[in-house]
Amino acid sequence: MTNLLLRNVRPYGGANSDLLIRDGRIDGVGRFEPAPDMPVEDGGGAIAIPGLIDAHTHLDKTTWGMPWHENNRRAVLRERIDFERENRIAIGIDPHRQSMRHAIGLAAHGATHIRSHVDIDPVHGLSIVDGVMETREKLKGVIDIEIVAFPQSGVMVMPGTAELLDEALRQGCEVLGGIDPCGIDRDPKGQLDILFALAVKHQKPIDIHLHEAGDLGAFTMELMFERIRANGMQGKVAISHAFALGMNDYLRVGQLIEQIAELDVAILTTGAPSATVPSIMRLKQAGVRVGAGCDGIRDTWGPWGQPDMLDRAKVVGMKNGLRSDHELEHVLNIVSQGGADVMRIEGYGLAEGCNADLTLLAGETLAHAVVEVAPRPLVVKGGRVIARGGQAVVDMP
Ligand SMILES: [Zn+2]
């Protein structure tokens, strides 16, 4: 049942109209009378926007729905990684069950697409990826999930990982991940040469976690730019976090952003409150594709986060010091259209012919909806209602 007449909504906060949906696509925006036996929903005058997009998360890590995970460990990156790898199964973090909970939570809050990094290491092989792939299959028609083969524990310091990444790409992971080639691997040339060779071999894009701050992160970015040029990978590389772009050196950051724009590198931000983050307004000015994500939520790394991209828009907005309405509209754009631009989602939007993937926001204006983390009365995926009043229509395991 993918026909629907959605009446009384305000696309992007504009004039009140109806959305006519046929065969999972938006067939018209205006005023319509329902055809016989066409389902009708009343949007109650809510704002309609295309589905929210979590373009950087970790579906395989959350403890959501499990007993509270007590954590009094040190906040040291390498120690967090090692603790999680060695203890996740014993703690009960089943990758399939937990990724179902996380993804359904996102859908209930208006998301229609996810890019999830999923851990690959020699201890677990591809078993964690298998669990998330099962979730992707089960949630077809509810939410689209793209999987990044992610070497969380490192590549060069974890022998056997490169071969597993190769196999994961063969088995259908859409994107190749990477992590701090200097900070984690102590061997930037080693990791980056392997990643770019694998990406070229499988013709897949790269999305690398770069927590490296300041000049170290800038150095890694420059090594990436060289390899993007050498391999013709313009438009096919994303940098997640990119904390180096938040460094306190305006000119240096400007030089980096210039190359990022020139090479059409995408940036994914989580607005991490504890780190220096890229300025989304500065990236907008430079014409850089920018998406956002919730990152890990309530996992062994830390207790914060919600499976809710509007909540994340608020975090990103506050971290970026945004105040004006047009800035708040831009942060909402980043958690929707921006993610679609990064993930190259076809048919995204509310125009005639677009996929009927959308969410309603019960706010006065787009800016108001962001600061309020407005309720989402209805979420539609492919013309089908998949959540109502914050509750998904699929059962939470
Ligand atoms: Zn991450």
Side-chain angles (χ1 to χ4, degrees):
M1 198 164 65
T2 53
N3 294 338
L4 177 70
L5 178 58
L6 179 54
R7 298 185 116 163
N8 189 20
V9 296
R10 291 179 292 129
Y12 300 105
N16 194 305
S17 53
D18 305 337
L19 295 176
L20 179 65
I21 296 165
R22 280 187 204 279
D23 298 328
R25 289 179 182 278
I26 295 172
D27 201 43
V29 183
R31 285 288 174 227
F32 304 96
E33 286 306 317
D37 65 12
M38 174 173 257
V40 180
E41 294 281 348
D42 185 347
I47 296 168
I49 62 166
L52 298 169
I53 298 185
D54 190 339
H56 183 115
T57 192
H58 296 262
L59 293 178
D60 59 314
K61 293 177 184 289
T62 188
T63 66
W64 201 263
M66 291 170 57
W68 182 253
H69 176 71
E70 198 175 316
N71 177 0
N72 293 301
R73 298 179 297 277
R74 298 198 304 165
V76 176
L77 184 60
R78 185 74 244 180
E79 290 182 19
R80 285 170 170 165
I81 291 170
D82 293 340
F83 177 85
E84 180 184 53
R85 190 186 59 250
E86 297 307 321
N87 296 283
R88 59 192 301 159
I89 298 302
I91 289 169
I93 305 174
D94 177 83
H96 172 56
R97 182 191 66 227
Q98 291 310 111
S99 57
M100 284 289 285
R101 289 177 178 170
H102 189 157
I104 292 170
L106 281 165
H109 292 109
T112 52
H113 298 79
I114 298 170
R115 171 180 281 189
S116 177
H117 297 251
V118 180
D119 287 12
I120 289 174
D121 61 57
V123 174
H124 301 94
L126 298 183
S127 61
I128 301 172
V129 169
D130 291 343
V132 179
M133 281 189 170
E134 200 185 333
T135 293
R136 168 162 76 180
E137 202 53 39
K138 275 194 190 155
L139 294 183
K140 268 201 174 130
V142 174
I143 193 161
D144 292 342
I145 300 173
E146 181 178 85
I147 298 177
V148 185
F150 178 46
Q152 173 75 84
S153 293
V155 178
M156 309 310 287
V157 292
M158 280 281 153
T161 300
E163 291 75 9
L164 288 166
L165 294 173
D166 190 18
E167 182 58 23
L169 293 175
R170 220 174 49 75
Q171 288 188 15
C173 288
E174 288 90 353
V175 183
L176 175 61
I179 183 167
D180 295 350
C182 296
I184 293 287
D185 266 351
R186 282 16 189 194
D187 183 357
K189 184 176 183 309
Q191 182 183 138
L192 291 174
D193 284 347
I194 286 175
L195 294 187
F196 278 85
L198 282 173
V200 168
K201 175 180 169 187
H202 293 276
Q203 289 295 297
K204 302 233 166 140
I206 289 176
D207 183 342
I208 187 165
H209 275 67
L210 204 59
H211 308 97
E212 294 164 6
D215 268 323
L216 186 62
F219 171 67
T220 300
M221 282 184 194
E222 286 165 353
L223 295 180
M224 292 179 69
F225 301 154
E226 287 169 17
R227 284 158 181 77
I228 290 167
R229 284 198 179 90
N231 292 287
M233 282 192 65
Q234 289 88 341
K236 298 199 170 75
V237 175
I239 302 176
S240 281
H241 299 306
F243 292 155
L245 297 181
M247 74 168 129
N248 194 18
D249 183 337
Y250 194 84
L251 292 177
R252 180 90 166 104
V253 170
Q255 290 160 353
L256 292 169
I257 290 178
E258 217 168 89
Q259 294 196 72
I260 284 167
E262 182 203 320
L263 299 171
D264 193 12
V265 173
I267 300 294
L268 290 154
T269 187
T270 65
S274 56
T276 61
V277 301
S279 157
I280 59 169
M281 297 313 293
R282 198 171 176 193
L283 290 172
K284 178 183 195 288
Q285 247 173 19
V288 175
R289 288 178 295 131
V290 179
C294 290
D295 213 1
I297 58 161
R298 201 176 294 185
D299 53 23
T300 61
W301 292 50
W304 301 106
Q306 300 284 325
D308 182 350
M309 281 311 294
L310 203 52
D311 177 74
R312 181 56 47 169
K314 184 175 178 178
V315 171
V316 173
M318 291 174 80
K319 177 72 181 182
N320 276 264
L322 307 187
R323 287 167 185 272
S324 72
D325 281 37
H326 83 264
E327 289 174 333
L328 295 171
E329 284 164 17
H330 181 58
V331 81
L332 189 57
N333 186 265
I334 279 179
V335 299
S336 49
Q337 183 66 53
D341 294 342
V342 173
M343 291 168 63
R344 311 275 192 203
I345 296 169
E346 285 173 21
Y348 184 85
L350 292 183
E352 210 177 302
C354 289
N355 303 325
D357 295 348
L358 59 98
T359 184
L360 300 189
L361 308 173
E364 284 177 46
T365 66
L366 296 173
H368 179 241
V370 172
V371 297
E372 283 276 298
V373 190
R376 269 121 300 164
L378 201 72
V379 184
V380 173
K381 172 77 179 165
R384 184 176 149 230
V385 173
I386 56 118
R388 208 181 275 282
Q391 290 296 315
V393 297
V394 282
D395 290 333
M396 192 70 96

